[in-house]
Structure formats: C-alpha cells, structure tokens
Amino acid sequence: MFGLDGILKKAEQEIPLSFKEILGLLSVNSPSELGKVALAARRLRERYFQNKVFLYGFVYFSTYCRNDCTFCLYRKSNQTYSRYRKNFEEIMAAARCLADSGVHLLDMTMGEDPLYYNKKNGFDELVQLVKELKRETRRPVMISPGVVPQKILEEFKEAGADWYACYQETHNKTLYQQLRVKQSYGERMIRKLTAKKMGYLIEEGLLTGVGESKGDIARSLLLMKNMEADQVRVMTFIPQENTPFAGWPANSQFRELLIIAVMRLIMPDRLIPASLDVDGLKGLQDRLASGANVITSLISPAAGMAGVSQSTLDIGEGNRTVEKVLPVLKANHLEAATQGEYQAWIKARQTRSAKPARGGLPCG
Ligand code: SAM
Ligand code: MD0
Ligand code: SF4
C-alpha cells in the first residue's frame, strides 16, 4: 500500500506529513494496517507523555438548548426528551464527588440554555460557579457552554476557567450547515480563536460518520494543527431517537480509532481524548491503543446527570468512574497522571500559547 511504512517512519521522525500522506493514512482499511498506525501513535505518545493519562470529570448541568443541531438528542425540537437544569448546590455536589474520585479536570457543559443566554446577566451565576469550583476543588475547569458572547468568555476567564471546548464538528462549511443548522460557522471559529488569544487552552472536535469525506478529515487535522488547538478530539456519530438522523446507519468505531491514531502522528504533543460517551467502558481499551491520552466523560452515578451522545450508557452502573477505568489503564501499561503532572502540562502549554500563533487565522 502506497508506502505506509515510509509514511509512518517519517511521522515517527516528526517530519511534517503532507495532505496527500495524511489522506493516505486515512485510507487504511484493514485491522492489520490500523495496528501499524496505532503502534506508531503509541510510540509518539510515549515520547511526549510517557505512560501518563489524564482523567476528566463531566458535569452536564443543563440539557436545555436553543439550537437545533440535527445530530443531537438535546436539540430544541426534540420535545419527547425530558430535560433538566441542575441548581448551584447540585452542580457543586457532583463536581466535588468527581474531584474526590480523582479526576484531574472538571468539564462544565450545557446546552445553549435560553435561561442563561436570553436573560440579562444570565451568566452571572455560572461565572460565580466557576470561581467556587476552582476555590473548592482546586481543579482546572473546562467550560463547554456553546458560543457565549465574548464578554462572557472574558468573565469566565477572570473567574478562573482554563479551557474552552467548542467543537466545529467539521470544517466543511456545507456539511457544517447540515449539522449545526442556523449557526454561523465563522462566529463559532472566531469565538474559539479569541478564547485562545485570551489565554484559554482550547479543544477542537470532529464528528465522524456523518457523511464527511477523507479529504474533509485530512483538511480538519491540518487546520487543528495550525490553529494550535491544545486538545483535539473525534467522536463517532451516534444516531439519536426523534432527530433528523434517527434512521442513520450505526457506525463502526474503526474510523474513529484511525483518526485518533493519525491525530497523534501529526500532533504528537497534544491531548487526545478517549471519550466514554461513544462505546462506554468497553470502547476504552481500543481508543487508548490508538494513542489517546485523556479519558473523558467520567460521570458520577449518583449525580443524576446525563452523557451527550450516550445519555445513559454505563452511568447508573458506575462504569464511567475513575475506579472502573484504572484497571483498564493498568492492563495497557498506562497509569493516571498526578494532579501536579497535569497542572504542569497546562502551565507549559499556556506559556507556549502566550507566544504569537503560527500561520493565519483559519476562520474565513
Ligand atoms: N452545547 C454545547 C455545544 O454544542 O458546543 C456543548 C456541548 S455539546 C453537547 C458537545 C458535543 O457532543 C458536540 O459538539 C458534539 O461534538 C458531541 N455530540 C453531540 N451529539 C452527538 C452524537 N449524537 N454523536 C456523537 N457526538 C455527539
Ligand atoms: C465527552 N461527553 O467528553 C463529553 C462531552 C463536551 N466538552 C464533552 C462530549 O465525551
Ligand atoms: Fe444544543 Fe450543543 Fe446539542 Fe447543538 S450540540 S443541540 S448546541 S446541546
């Protein structure tokens, strides 16, 4: 095949790969070739992160949303889904529980809840929440609130938020409009890049299995690299009931595993999640074997909170907990990093990000 070994050798020497070479890697379609790509990815992960893995607690505190993304269970038009909005105490209790269980970071996520978006000073309570979370749990905080106004992004930053997660899903603008209907492609990209300039670490993310081409993925990976996204993820699309994509054929995890490995090859120093929100605990081993180094979507079974693409999978059973993922790490000769190691990585990355970004702003 097109010199797979040659390209993998080049990647391991950290020589930048061309668009054509990345496209070639994304054309791998056999388990044995995927195995080769994943082995090279593990070697590069080892070079930058040794056997350390970071653990992210997930707090999905409101499932109300003003948007109508066609792929999402929580889209506003889905009237059949009973939603919730947790109050301050409930959110703090869930976060405390996750911090006590050993997570390194708290990912505070919500739909674009009209209560916060449409009300004057609607975000004040959430800004206060971030301050309280930082003070009490001493954990870095990621916010995933959607495309908040720039002024609110500044307030969250001042309150101590470290990360801003806002996934484009695709950088193919036509496909984007089919997924994130009536949402501006440019505004979403600009908010992310502005957050980076404000000193946030940013997470960019892709959906796979929504009709994107290999070329779309290759372009996205190069864009993620050049925008200096600090964490880069891919999630397999999970069709949701009562949504336009409900009848969409289920996707295998092969492409997600391949994309995770190729991400590691071209961005060896970044954080790459293995989300428990796609195939649950049973999907973790393969994602780690592909070069992921963060386990996300750890959810306290008692908090009464949901996942996103898998709203209930493995939550009640307590399978999305630190206790259940540690043995999987051990079985893969990996271990959870210390809080100090995670804080040190964040600090080094923030210092690096303070230097002027390379290359133009890809938000046209
Ligand atoms: N509401 C905020 C937003 O959209 O930015 C934050 C949270 S959002 C629910 C988190 C992400 O979950 C989406 O950006 C998308 O990548 C992923 N997601 C949502 N529905 C999904 C599905 N059915 N399958 C796979 N991933 C999904
Ligand atoms: C995850 N379920 O990490 C979460 C969610 C949003 N910032 C993260 C998609 O998979
Ligand atoms: Fe709302 Fe986010 Fe779901 Fe889109 S992906 S419908 S913005 S919760």
Side-chain angles (χ1 to χ4, degrees):
M1 167 160 176
F2 72 88
L4 175 60
D5 297 340
I7 295 178
L8 293 178
K9 195 155 168 268
K10 194 176 170 185
E12 286 197 54
Q13 294 166 336
E14 297 189 46
I15 301 167
L17 299 181
S18 67
F19 174 81
K20 201 159 163 283
E21 288 166 329
I22 295 171
L23 205 55
L25 288 173
L26 293 170
S27 308
V28 156
N29 52 24
S30 71
S32 62
E33 286 173 338
L34 172 60
K36 279 187 176 180
V37 182
L39 176 59
R42 290 196 298 277
R43 288 194 187 124
L44 280 166
R45 179 185 60 195
E46 170 73 22
R47 190 179 297 168
Y48 282 83
F49 297 96
Q50 298 71 54
N51 67 338
K52 304 295 180 179
V53 170
F54 306 116
L55 310 176
Y56 286 11
F58 184 58
V59 180
Y60 197 8
F61 58 88
S62 173
T63 60
Y64 287 92
C65 191
R66 64 180 183 170
N67 291 328
D68 235 354
C69 301
T70 48
F71 57 84
C72 184
L73 173 68
Y74 305 100
R75 65 196 305 263
K76 69 178 177 190
S77 304
N78 184 1
Q79 304 296 331
T80 63
Y81 184 81
S82 67
R83 298 166 192 267
Y84 64 74
R85 181 186 296 117
K86 299 296 180 180
N87 64 31
F88 198 96
E89 286 67 35
E90 289 168 323
I91 300 171
M92 284 302 298
R96 232 180 261 122
C97 186
L98 284 163
D100 293 347
S101 76
V103 302
H104 297 111
L105 170 137
L106 295 165
D107 176 351
M108 309 309 294
T109 293
M110 67 173 191
E112 291 194 4
D113 185 339
L115 180 89
Y116 298 116
Y117 273 80
N118 301 352
K119 203 174 77 179
K120 193 167 179 314
N121 303 326
F123 287 97
D124 289 3
E125 191 188 321
L126 295 183
V127 170
Q128 190 52 36
L129 179 78
V130 169
K131 250 190 218 135
E132 202 52 32
L133 281 172
K134 294 279 294 193
R135 192 190 61 70
E136 199 179 308
T137 69
R138 304 216 163 287
R139 292 292 188 282
V141 168
M142 172 182 275
I143 54 168
S144 317
V147 182
V148 293
Q150 183 168 332
K151 180 178 161 304
I152 301 301
L153 211 49
E154 284 160 9
E155 289 179 19
F156 275 127
K157 188 76 183 78
E158 274 147 36
D162 305 274
W163 286 87
Y164 179 56
C166 185
Y167 316 143
Q168 209 69 12
E169 324 299 358
T170 177
H171 299 95
N172 171 329
K173 294 182 186 127
T174 309
L175 179 57
Y176 175 89
Q177 289 310 336
Q178 291 161 9
L179 298 174
R180 285 190 168 272
V181 286
K182 297 202 183 91
Q183 294 167 55
S184 155
Y185 178 96
E187 189 189 10
R188 197 169 178 86
M189 280 301 283
I190 288 170
R191 197 67 86 255
K192 231 173 324 217
L193 296 164
T194 307
K196 180 111 179 131
K197 279 207 173 125
M198 286 179 190
Y200 279 94
L201 298 181
I202 59 170
E203 181 183 24
E204 175 63 304
L206 300 177
L207 276 180
T208 185
V210 287
E212 81 286 351
S213 69
K214 294 188 187 75
D216 290 334
I217 299 288
R219 273 183 288 279
S220 282
L221 299 187
L222 286 170
L223 198 149
M224 287 166 139
K225 182 179 181 188
N226 294 332
M227 71 192 273
E228 291 283 342
D230 306 283
Q231 181 164 305
V232 290
R233 74 157 63 205
V234 55
M235 291 172 76
T236 301
F237 166 57
I238 307 287
Q240 307 289 330
E241 282 174 20
N242 302 307
T243 66
F245 277 85
W248 193 265
N251 294 293
S252 87
Q253 64 173 15
F254 185 95
R255 184 172 260 203
E256 180 183 330
L257 298 178
L258 179 60
I259 296 170
I260 288 174
V262 177
M263 278 174 165
R264 180 60 66 200
L265 294 183
I266 62 176
M267 294 173 272
D269 61 342
R270 315 290 168 89
L271 300 187
I272 303 176
S275 170
L276 298 174
D277 203 24
V278 181
D279 294 312
L281 187 62
K282 73 174 179 15
L284 179 56
Q285 155 109 5
D286 289 342
R287 288 165 173 80
L288 292 170
S290 279
N293 66 333
V294 183
I295 300 175
T296 69
S297 215
L298 291 157
I299 302 177
S300 306
M305 294 198 197
V308 178
S309 37
Q310 292 286 5
S311 58
T312 58
L313 178 67
D314 275 353
I315 298 175
E317 304 88 337
N319 288 337
R320 290 164 73 162
T321 57
V322 173
E323 186 202 344
K324 288 292 178 66
V325 301
L326 291 180
V328 181
L329 288 178
K330 195 154 188 253
N332 288 274
H333 311 293
L334 299 166
E335 64 182 29
T338 64
Q339 191 62 35
E341 286 164 335
Y342 184 55
Q343 304 270 173
W345 187 89
I346 285 186
K347 200 154 186 336
R349 194 71 197 174
Q350 283 169 333
T351 314
R352 178 198 159 98
S353 299
K355 296 198 192 77
R358 288 175 298 176
L361 276 188
C363 59

